[in-house]
Amino acid sequence: MSDLEPALRDEGLTATALKEELAERMPGATIELEAEQEMMTVNMGPHHPATHGVLRLIVDLEGEVVKDLKPVVGYVHTGIEKSCETMNYWKVIPFVERMDYLGYFSNMESYCGAVEKLIDLEIPRRAQYLRVLHLELNRLHSHLVWLGTSALDLGAMGVYFYCFRDRDRVLDIFEMSTGQRMHTRYFQIGGVAEDIPTGFEQKVREMIVTLNTGIDQYEALLDRNEIFLMRTKDIGVVSRERLLELGVTGPLLRASGEAWDLRKEEDYLTYDEMDFDVPVGTVGDGYDRYRVRLTEMRESLKIIEQCLDGMPEGPWISDDRKYVLPPRAELSTSMESLIHHFKLVTEGFRVAPGEIYNPVESPRGELGCFILADGSSKPARVHFREPSFVNLQALRDMTIGEYVADLIQTLAMLDPILGGIDR
Amino acid sequence: MPDAPGLELILAEINRTESGAVIDTSFDREQASLVVDATKVISVLTWLKETPGQEYTFLSSVHGVDYYPNTPRFAVHYELLNRERYERLRVKALLADPAAQGAGEADIAPVAAVPAEDVMSGSPAHDQLPHLASCVDLFPTAEFQEREVYDFFGVFFDGHPDMRRILMPDDYVGWPQRRDFPVGGEPVIFTKDEIASPGWWQ
């Protein structure tokens, strides 16, 4: 058969015709031919509804099977790290918030925490509690957007509407405490911008009850949904060792069975006092990623409740006048305060030379902020180790050998935020 | 976290096998770092990853830093992590700026204008860039991050499988995160301005 085959192929026969021809000439022989497939390179994006942002994928397909994949990023690069170098330390906060636009509190915590370590500033306990509270609300918000859009990719439109309804409840809370729904600039160097208003606690407690029911409803909609299970089970599996090699962190890593959460490992804010569990998966497929994130939302609700229960009284921002603005009321009575206020607003504070790397657990994994201080009032370098940027490298391993339709699902379960990737 | 004496021990250990690999150590604000010879960075990283008792197997972050106007000007930082003990260690590879060799400190500026397409092996512009060995074989996670360092600082990683720009456009000229690269506007070509002054953007 082997010597006949090339000659017949040269005649331009299709695989089926070739098989028939060979069967005719060599009766009784077993003929196994791979169906001929043309390799095709397909461009997905940058403007594509399923890429969750401006992500471009160059995909090599053989039939419907992905053979190779190259992500192309940078379409929403806005030079945030460069812009940070031209700003005073306290003016950088609104910039860094806008990188990962679903995890803005994590961005702020990563940056503010780094500056606080540089200037060795202790923040009051109430501020720590308020930060944890908002970080967890933010995680909830991020996961809700993720769940809604991912379910939408798989055709579950109802889930999308329910998720965005509940996400709005979280945004209402942000609006109540910070005045903004997104990009709140709530965390300041030394604490938080303002105390929570009266009625805040009650509103959050109502939200906890509603969201607990909400999560039950998502589970009822998806957990035993035939289509959802078929689309997510055993799809996009990468071994835990390979994920660690690729530097993947966050829910993706936890779904493959590694209980790695910086909230447990790194000592920051009051996470060591909170009682919560780190959910892990077993297989590391799309379904596990979904389950891990959903369970994380429940854990976040637990942390939020504990924050409300244990919220200490006291100041919400440090009273170190060298770094923190004096209260507005003092300005009309104290010359000293007026001078501090003027100096902080115009020049900002100076930071002694040094370097710091401050990692926190963002909704997508390890978000690290590196700051180089050169002794002036502006940072000499601000760099973010963005979890989405690093996690995106794993997409190739997850999708090779799978169908192109599953590529959409795998990308959704990866949860990349292009604002964070491109910065 | 290895403290200051712990870092000295690591320095002595590494320098015993690889003489002169670690130049300096620093322990500042509870963070440990090793300053290493840029030509030996891979052997240091391998040692830290594979020696029993060290086992910094997870690479959190790779980023470039420009210490301008200090010399050596550039550095590439590797944030290593031991997940069992939760210890972080920063490895800093310092790199001199080849473009500034022989020239006075005052006129370093032209490095910003190296055309991206000239940065191929052997071309004169290629020699103007600082070089460092790529650690992608050791830590596959560094692939994107080394590309980012190259994109923003013009540090060329030898042995990297795909050394191209990643966030800036492929035809971009210059290394935007260098400290002497100005923050400035690029002309935006609006058709409305063409009527008033044709060819204003040229």
Side-chain angles (χ1 to χ4, degrees):
Chain A
M1 173 189 133
S2 52
D3 42 321
L4 258 175
E5 195 193 323
L8 287 171
R9 271 196 197 269
D10 285 345
E11 289 173 27
L13 293 174
T14 60
T16 338
L18 183 68
K19 210 169 175 177
E20 281 170 10
E21 188 80 39
L22 284 169
E24 204 173 280
R25 295 199 189 184
M26 300 190 303
T30 39
I31 300 161
E32 275 177 34
L33 284 181
E34 274 191 26
E36 264 172 279
Q37 295 282 2
E38 205 181 331
M39 195 69 122
M40 185 168 56
T41 307
V42 178
N43 178 58
M44 263 183 75
H47 298 288
H48 191 285
T51 55
H52 296 240
V54 217
L55 172 67
R56 182 176 163 213
L57 298 170
I58 300 169
V59 194
D60 286 342
L61 296 176
E62 196 184 86
E64 272 192 72
V65 179
V66 178
K67 287 289 168 184
D68 197 9
L69 173 139
K70 265 204 175 86
V72 181
V73 296
Y75 290 95
V76 285
H77 174 63
T78 42
I80 284 177
E81 287 176 6
K82 184 77 177 173
S83 305
C84 291
E85 291 171 18
T86 65
M87 293 288 163
N88 293 338
Y89 279 94
W90 65 276
K91 286 183 185 171
V92 169
I93 303 171
F95 270 110
V96 300
E97 254 185 299
R98 279 157 178 77
M99 298 184 318
D100 180 345
Y101 45 79
L102 292 183
Y104 32 93
F105 281 104
S106 308
N107 298 348
M108 279 191 279
E109 172 53 34
S110 179
Y111 174 77
C112 293
V115 177
E116 281 151 11
K117 277 185 187 171
L118 272 172
I119 58 182
D120 198 17
L121 186 67
E122 184 77 20
I123 73 168
R125 272 189 68 75
R126 190 177 174 85
Q128 293 185 9
Y129 265 80
L130 285 171
R131 281 191 181 184
V132 172
L133 176 70
H134 283 88
L135 281 167
E136 291 310 314
L137 282 168
N138 195 210
R139 190 179 314 276
L140 214 54
H141 160 233
S142 173
H143 283 356
L144 280 169
V145 174
W146 162 80
L147 179 61
T149 50
S150 306
L152 187 66
D153 282 349
L154 298 178
M157 190 156 219
V159 180
Y160 172 77
F161 287 126
Y162 295 134
C163 284
F164 270 61
R165 176 199 63 190
D166 285 344
R167 165 190 180 252
D168 240 49
R169 297 189 211 282
V170 181
L171 290 185
D172 284 344
I173 289 171
F174 287 161
E175 193 176 10
M176 196 171 180
S177 63
T178 71
Q180 296 288 327
R181 295 172 74 81
M182 285 180 86
H183 307 310
T184 54
R185 207 199 175 283
Y186 185 57
F187 293 0
Q188 306 273 33
I189 289 156
V192 296
E194 237 180 309
D195 203 1
I196 43 176
T198 41
F200 180 81
E201 187 185 334
Q202 194 202 345
K203 184 141 183 170
V204 178
R205 284 196 196 278
E206 280 166 15
M207 189 238 24
I208 293 173
V209 175
T210 337
L211 260 175
N212 264 324
T213 345
I215 297 169
D216 287 343
Q217 288 170 349
Y218 311 141
E219 283 179 341
L221 279 168
L222 293 174
D223 266 10
R224 275 177 290 171
N225 182 321
E226 182 88 25
I227 303 170
F228 187 78
L229 288 177
M230 281 170 73
R231 292 294 305 275
T232 53
K233 277 272 184 190
D234 294 321
I235 308 282
V237 184
V238 180
S239 74
R240 189 170 59 143
E241 290 74 25
R242 180 68 186 154
L243 286 178
L244 283 168
E245 271 183 7
L246 289 166
V248 173
T249 45
L252 284 178
L253 181 62
R254 290 196 279 275
S256 68
E258 179 83 26
W260 180 252
D261 192 322
L262 288 181
R263 289 177 291 173
K264 290 278 189 198
E265 308 289 336
E266 173 88 17
D267 176 30
Y268 70 104
L269 300 179
T270 56
Y271 278 116
D272 51 341
E273 297 164 27
M274 303 294 169
D275 172 35
F276 67 102
D277 297 322
V278 178
V280 289
T282 48
V283 189
D285 55 2
Y287 183 73
D288 274 0
R289 287 167 196 153
Y290 151 77
R291 283 301 317 167
V292 163
R293 287 202 176 92
L294 218 62
T295 320
E296 256 183 51
M297 281 160 63
R298 285 197 194 281
E299 297 300 319
S300 288
L301 286 173
K302 262 165 70 182
I303 300 175
I304 293 167
E305 200 154 25
Q306 289 170 51
C307 282
L308 290 178
D309 292 341
M311 182 77 69
E313 291 298 320
W316 60 90
I317 193 159
S318 158
D319 60 354
D320 192 332
R321 293 280 185 271
K322 292 291 168 217
Y323 302 111
V324 177
L325 286 178
R328 183 71 189 82
E330 262 183 39
L331 294 189
S332 46
T333 52
S334 160
M335 191 64 207
E336 204 61 2
S337 289
L338 195 63
I339 294 169
H340 275 133
H341 188 275
F342 180 75
K343 287 291 276 183
L344 278 174
V345 171
T346 53
E347 194 202 338
F349 53 82
R350 283 163 191 267
V351 174
E355 292 166 336
I356 209 90
Y357 177 77
N358 184 41
V360 301
E361 182 78 21
S362 95
R364 269 156 287 281
E366 174 176 336
L367 175 73
C369 176
F370 171 82
I371 299 179
L372 169 70
D374 61 354
S376 71
S377 60
K378 293 169 183 172
R381 169 96 168 115
V382 180
H383 173 81
F384 278 87
R385 184 255 193 227
E386 255 293 333
S388 311
F389 183 69
V390 181
N391 291 357
L392 187 65
Q393 295 180 98
L395 184 62
R396 191 170 174 275
D397 284 61
M398 287 175 186
T399 49
I400 284 183
E402 312 244 346
Y403 288 111
V404 69
D406 293 333
L407 163 66
I408 305 295
Q409 184 272 128
T410 311
L411 183 65
M413 292 297 163
L414 188 80
D415 191 21
I417 297 297
L418 271 293
I421 291 176
D422 291 348
R423 282 157 284 157
Chain B
M1 211 120 337
D3 51 0
L7 281 170
E8 288 300 323
L9 287 176
I10 293 178
L11 176 138
E13 283 274 319
I14 299 178
N15 282 354
R16 198 182 306 150
T17 49
E18 188 83 34
S19 162
V22 182
I23 301 163
D24 199 7
T25 64
S26 78
F27 188 75
D28 181 31
R29 294 171 169 101
E30 303 291 304
Q31 300 206 342
S33 47
L34 296 173
V35 181
V36 301
D37 183 351
T39 56
K40 290 172 182 155
V41 65
I42 297 301
S43 51
V44 173
L45 291 176
T46 315
W47 190 88
L48 287 170
K49 186 184 177 187
E50 284 162 8
T51 308
Q54 303 296 333
E55 285 153 340
Y56 290 91
T57 51
F58 190 84
L59 181 65
S60 289
S61 173
V62 180
H63 45 254
V65 180
D66 183 359
Y67 289 107
Y68 181 80
N70 298 340
T71 50
R73 184 173 163 186
F74 299 109
V76 175
H77 290 190
Y78 301 86
E79 303 281 351
L80 295 172
L81 170 68
N82 178 315
R83 290 185 309 111
E84 279 73 41
R85 303 195 300 262
Y86 197 74
E87 285 183 1
R88 287 180 186 273
L89 177 62
R90 184 182 304 135
V91 174
K92 299 197 262 188
L94 297 182
L95 294 158
D97 183 7
Q101 297 288 317
E105 278 293 79
D107 44 21
I108 295 174
V111 282
V114 179
E117 60 267 33
D118 284 357
V119 186
M120 282 178 286
S121 224
S123 75
H126 194 245
D127 302 334
Q128 301 282 296
L129 298 178
H131 281 244
L132 194 63
S134 166
C135 70
V136 173
D137 291 337
L138 200 59
F139 296 107
T141 174
E143 187 183 340
F144 273 20
Q145 304 187 52
E146 284 183 351
R147 278 178 70 186
E148 191 192 336
V149 176
Y150 167 69
D151 194 355
F152 287 140
F153 292 92
V155 176
F156 196 92
F157 288 88
D158 298 309
H160 188 282
D162 188 20
M163 193 84 275
R164 288 181 297 126
R165 286 184 180 273
I166 185 163
L167 294 182
M168 302 300 284
D170 284 340
D171 56 352
Y172 192 80
V173 176
W175 312 108
Q177 284 276 2
R178 290 189 177 187
R179 294 286 278 160
D180 54 4
F181 190 93
V183 183
E186 286 180 13
V188 183
I189 304 168
F190 290 116
T191 42
K192 68 174 175 54
D193 299 329
E194 190 63 22
I195 304 161
S197 53
W200 63 275
W201 42 272
Q202 281 171 347

